């Protein structure tokens, strides 16, 4: 008996992998995974892992890896059909009745799939023939060498009207079949079908198991009516239920462990750039991200990162994704949002700045609630009571659209807290402070260490001044450059206040300075650079400011140069700030991972893999900071 993909997917959705495996293997929860002793080998230390989110098990002792069905096949020596029948009974699902018509349709779909495979092989061969020379040169200019073409099965379709058709018909295909497969276009006037893809670089589109179900094509002619063209919906291909790059993304998520991120980008080349950088990247099929695709993403990762272009279309796509996702959000099931710096796309960043820069920018995504609040806040001016009331109404409505009641209440509280912080008066005296960051409170909610309050202003105690002077002598050049520009252009901090409070400028010597700048930025509608410098000098930071001026030029940071425009400097600063934030986060994660390994909270194989992944990225960022390669060259 043959089972269609929809039946198998529904079967896996109804049963939790850990529940089924837990009947024969004693499992204990460890982070987002379950761990136990291998059912395949004799061992004393657990190396068998089960991940419900990703739908697979992995046994480090034997190297076995698979899904729910594969586990029963391996442990109970069942055939595929027997394993499916057993799981269907457990899930309360009736097996599909044998249907001669369905069997005939399946046989037909298999025939179409065979022609798609044949077309893919032909496209690949055409790319390497003389007719594909311009396409090869284009791929090389985009930084995609020939050694990578086979990995993604890239190809080329010549400009001829029937080149592919003639090849496949000669091999026995009927034109009608090729129309059904999406390879040919049948004219409405009844004329002879012709090739759908002509003079285009070809990107095969696969289902979750890696089987080719359609193609996408990038036009070589800059005047082409459609720059990118996808195949039509067919019996094999449904745009709303497919994510480009999914099989490879699954492998990368598995290899990356718990620290891996899943990123949704906009184009084929962006997906390829992410995957070449070791990032699990996928893309929707030229349409807005739909509910079915969101469910697919959440099966792989609890919080995928959505990275859309910074243009109007990209912002609209992000907004639509938010609206569609809101009713579906649940605890442990959300999205983050990231944008690469300077209006570029991931492919540009990989070519110009390298894999480490791309990883750091995508990893520094904003939470869903923050993006939602910013969207509603920026929807219209907030210069009248009516418009401010309208913002509050929109925030309440957005929270109410979440189906999970507990999460809906949590979102309502969070959004209204942000609203209160937007309009609350500045903190004064000994009060709690009701600004967006809680006024005079530090990141741990207490007073700012060795500081005192006097008529609404914070001044360092003698101990605080001494600490600042003591640390100033070993100030890092890159953090100093960040601080120098922030003092010269305080408004660059407006989108980064939360991160600045969490990580400062990347050097402990600057932590107190960062906190004072945050306080002043929140309390002043207009923070004048000269006034800020006078205030910092008058409150005990004179020596630190001098050290900043001395250390910053050694960083090589382009944004502190006098010939850089304000917009470019802000873009460059934001990128460097994100990199140092990521470095600080990695240092914290490494400390935690090392502690977990030391006290046995994580198993040797899994814990070591996570530790080494974090350490590799941390070391790469350290080298980038030391060598000055973290700076954007043009800031565009």
């Amino acid at each position: 008996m043959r089972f269609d993909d929809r039946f198998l997917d529904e079967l896996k959705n109804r049963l939790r992998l850990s529940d089924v495996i837990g009947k024969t293997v004693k499992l204990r929860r460890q982070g987002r995974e379950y761990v136990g002793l291998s059912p395949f080998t004799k061992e004393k230390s657990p190396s068998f892992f089960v991940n419900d989110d990703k739908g697979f098990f992995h046994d480090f002792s034997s190297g076995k890896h698979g899904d729910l069905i594969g586990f029963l096949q391996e442990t109970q020596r069942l055939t595929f059909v027997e394993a499916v029948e057993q799981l269907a009974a457990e899930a309360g699902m009736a097996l599909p009745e044998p249907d001669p018509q369905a069997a005939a349709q399946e046989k037909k779909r298999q025939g179409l799939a065979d022609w798609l495979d044949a077309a893919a092989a032909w496209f690949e061969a055409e790319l390497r023939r003389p007719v594909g020379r311009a396409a090869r040169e284009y791929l090389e200019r985009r930084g995609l060498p020939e050694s990578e073409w086979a990995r993604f099965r890239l190809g080329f379709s010549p400009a001829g009207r029937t080149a592919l058709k003639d090849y496949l018909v000669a091999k026995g295909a009927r034109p009608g079949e090729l129309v059904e497969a999406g390879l040919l276009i049948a004219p409405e006037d009844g004329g002879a079908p012709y090739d759908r893809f002509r003079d285009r670089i070809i990107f095969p589109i696969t289902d979750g198991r890696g089987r080719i179900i359609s193609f996408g094509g990038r036009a070589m002619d800059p005047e082409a009516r459609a720059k990118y063209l996808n195949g039509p919906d067919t019996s094999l291909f449904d745009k709303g239920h497919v994510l480009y790059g999914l099989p490879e993304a699954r492998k990368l998520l598995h290899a990356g462990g718990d620290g891996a991120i899943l990123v949704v980008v906009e184009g084929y080349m962006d997906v390829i750039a992410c995957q070449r950088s070791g990032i699990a990247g996928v893309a929707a099929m030229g349409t807005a991200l739909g509910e079915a695709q969101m469910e697919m993403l959440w099966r792989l990762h609890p919080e995928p990162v959505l990275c859309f272009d910074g243009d109007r279309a990209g912002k609209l796509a992000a907004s639509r994704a938010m609206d569609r996702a809101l009713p579906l959000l649940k605890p442990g099931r959300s999205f983050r949002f990231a944008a690469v710096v300077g209006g570029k796309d991931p492919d540009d960043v990989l070519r110009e700045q390298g894999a480490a820069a791309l990883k750091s920018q995508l990893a520094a995504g904003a939470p869903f609630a923050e993006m939602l609040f910013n969207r509603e806040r920026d929807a219209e001016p907030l210069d009248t009571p009516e418009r401010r009331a309208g913002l509050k109404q929109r925030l309440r409505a957005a929270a109410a659209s979440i189906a999970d009641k507990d999460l809906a209440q949590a979102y309502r509280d969070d959004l209204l807290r942000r609203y209160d912080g937007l309009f609350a008066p500045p903190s004064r005296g000994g009060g709690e402070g009701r600004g967006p960051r809680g006024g005079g409170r530090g990141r741990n909610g207490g007073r700012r260490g060795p500081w005192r309050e006097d008529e609404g202003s914070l001044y360092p105690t003698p101990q605080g001044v001494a600490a600042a002077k003591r640390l100033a002598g070993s100030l890092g050049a890159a953090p100093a450059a960040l601080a120098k520009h922030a003092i010269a252009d305080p408004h660059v901090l407006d989108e980064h206040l939360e991160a600045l409070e969490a990580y400062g400028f990347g050097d402990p010597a600057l932590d107190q300075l960062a906190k004072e700048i945050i306080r002043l930025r929140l309390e002043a509608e207009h923070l004048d650079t000269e006034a800020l410098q006078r205030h910092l000098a008058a409150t005990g930071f004179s020596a630190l400011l001098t050290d900043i001026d001395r250390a910053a030029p050694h960083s090589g940071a382009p944004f502190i140069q006098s010939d850089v425009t304000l917009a470019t400097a802000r873009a460059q600063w934001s990128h460097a700030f994100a990199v140092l934030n990521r470095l600080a986060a990695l240092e914290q994660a490494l400390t935690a991972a090392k502690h977990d390994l030391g006290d046995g909270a994580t198993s040797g194989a899994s814990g070591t893999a996570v530790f080494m992944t974090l350490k590799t990225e941390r070391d790469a960022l350290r080298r980038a900071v030391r060598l000055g390669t973290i700076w954007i060259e043009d800031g565009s």
Side-chain angles (χ1 to χ4, degrees), residues 146-178:
E146 184 175 358
S147 59
E148 296 279 6
W149 299 348
R151 175 183 175 185
F152 302 101
R153 295 204 66 180
L154 301 184
F156 176 68
S157 59
R161 187 174 175 84
T162 61
L164 175 64
K165 174 185 173 182
D166 295 343
Y167 171 78
L168 294 178
V169 167
K171 293 181 72 68
R174 295 190 295 272
E177 290 179 309
L178 303 181

Side-chain angles (χ1 to χ4, degrees), residues 225-272:
R225 184 170 59 181
K227 182 178 179 181
Y228 283 94
L229 178 68
N230 291 326
D233 282 349
T234 66
S235 59
L236 297 173
F237 178 50
D238 180 348
K239 289 185 182 72
H241 291 78
V242 174
L243 292 167
Y244 177 72
L246 182 59
E248 183 72 8
R250 279 179 172 153
K251 296 177 185 176
L252 291 168
L253 284 172
H254 171 64
D258 286 344
I261 62 172
L262 174 62
V263 181
V264 183
V265 291
E266 290 200 57
Y268 301 118
M269 292 297 289
D270 292 333
V271 171
I272 291 172

Side-chain angles (χ1 to χ4, degrees), residues 567-589:
T568 298
R570 286 179 174 177
Q572 294 170 339
W573 187 94
S574 296
H575 166 70
F577 184 68
V579 172
L580 290 187
N581 279 350
R582 178 59 180 165
L583 182 56
L586 286 169
E587 296 285 4
Q588 293 178 4

